[in-house]
Amino acid sequence: MPSTPEQIARYEKIESLVKGFKLPSATYHQVMALWKEEMKNGLGKTTHATADIKMFPSYVRALPEGSERGKFLALDLGGTNFRVLYIDLNGPLADIVSKTYLIPQQVMLGTGEQLFGHVANCVANFIHFTGLEKERSLCLGFTFSFPLVQDGLASARLSKWTKGFRCEGVIGQDVCQLLQQALVKATPVKIDVVAVINDAVGTLMSAAHTDRKCEIGLILGTGCNACYMEKLENVETVSLDDDEPQQVIINTEWGAFGDNGCLDIVRTEYDRELDTYSINPGKQLVEKMIGGMYLGEIVRLTLERLSSEKLIFRGIDHDCDLFNRGKFYTKYLSEIERDNGEFFENTKQILEELGVETYTLEDCKIVKYVCALISARAAFLASAGISTLINSLKRPEVTVAIDGSLYRFHPRFHNLMSLKIQELVDPSYKFKLVLSHDGSGKGAAIVAAVTTHRKTNIHDKKVSPQVGGNCIPIAVQT
């Protein structure tokens, strides 16, 4: 605790510069009300077009029953590396074999035919690698982590490329068809692409395979997104008149929450500066306060301001990386928060990596304090969104499946979220936060399994048909 008048004045000044990260509970309840209204707009027929939170139906209508059996492929494509997986389901058990492949730079910047041809050739290599050539046919679940307009469970058009991809002839095209056509040319095994999903849906489905109470999926990694199971009667943007369950998983795409200015009440000067210099100013505003792509930079901007006010790092060389955009990585934030005791070993090492040679133990304490505030705000904002969904579902108990590097590796995120959600949700609802293992891979195969399982109505027929018309038989034991 500060003891001298100089220390007291210093800490009061620091508090004045970071107080924007310390939001009261009433503000989080206000954020929840706004979140609920914006999601309602995304589901509405007349309001969807102008809604920031788009609430896209995924066309996934059923959760796994835990009795699905069969052999499935999954393809997880969302960056320069992608994975092909073989998953053998036996009820609640799943044997998984996977292999990672690289997409060369020239393919990323080439044509769609080159991209999907390369992917299909890698799938063919994987089939040889796993000895699957003997199979007559296989169903494949496709996780494609780029912006899509979904027209059906196995139909989705690319709306734009991100992550450095610029393949010609793909935007506006059905990526499932492009993949299917390439697979026909590349592999002797007949492969049916039966579902395309994003990583949030995969996270939910992967956890729901062993936990029937799981109805919410959350990604806390580079970005932030969520999905949940919604009653079909509340979804005005699609008309699905069939015998399937009257529900659908909604991909919220809620990273855009706040783009209309409704979150200005919680944004700080540091958030505004980060947004100004980002590649998409004015977009994905709540994601920029939660996602791992941004938290390190918010910390850096805050420390830069404290340094400019001579509150930390007095005598610092301003040519060091602390004053260069993007040089304070979010992994630093997690490592600093793991520091125990009074020696700040991780903090010191990171400051030295950044070229900060002039620092005191008091400076290290302030750095950790800043990291803790920014982490807590991120966790609490994510909690406000999840609490909004829990209250909306009105389930006595619900499991929230979470995946992503931020949640996996940050030492406090789970506990911070657990405490804040408990504070924000209706006390009559119980919840559980679980880490979803390999959601984007296993989840895609689970969706494929559920899809084919329902199509053949195995439980009623109690036979082993050829599923989906072209997929391998699934045997069910009763």
Side-chain angles (χ1 to χ4, degrees), residues 237-297:
T237 53
V238 292
S239 178
L240 300 172
D241 185 16
D242 53 32
D243 295 330
E244 290 292 303
Q246 295 302 293
Q247 59 185 10
V248 64
I249 293 179
I250 295 294
N251 167 28
T252 66
E253 289 295 343
W254 74 14
F257 177 41
D259 289 5
N260 62 2
C262 69
L263 283 185
D264 287 352
I265 55 172
V266 300
R267 297 176 70 214
T268 67
E269 62 181 276
Y270 314 108
D271 299 309
R272 292 186 175 88
E273 183 171 352
L274 178 146
D275 179 51
T276 298
Y277 288 94
S278 69
I279 61 173
N280 55 345
K283 303 296 183 183
Q284 301 295 107
L285 293 188
V286 82
E287 184 171 75
K288 287 174 179 172
M289 292 186 278
I290 299 175
M293 178 178 285
Y294 309 102
L295 294 184
E297 180 64 7

Side-chain angles (χ1 to χ4, degrees), residues 444-459:
I446 295 294
V447 173
V450 171
T451 301
T452 56
H453 184 82
R454 294 194 62 80
K455 280 182 178 180
T456 54
N457 199 15
I458 293 175
H459 279 308

Side-chain angles (χ1 to χ4, degrees), residues 10 15 20 38 106 155 157 195 213 248 251 280 353 362 374 407 419 466 470:
R10 178 190 184 193
E15 282 297 320
E38 292 297 312
Q106 64 267 26
S155 178
R157 291 171 284 118
K213 294 177 182 176
V248 64
N251 167 28
N280 55 345
E353 285 181 20
E362 199 70 16
I374 291 168
Y407 183 79
L419 291 171
Q466 183 174 317
N470 293 305

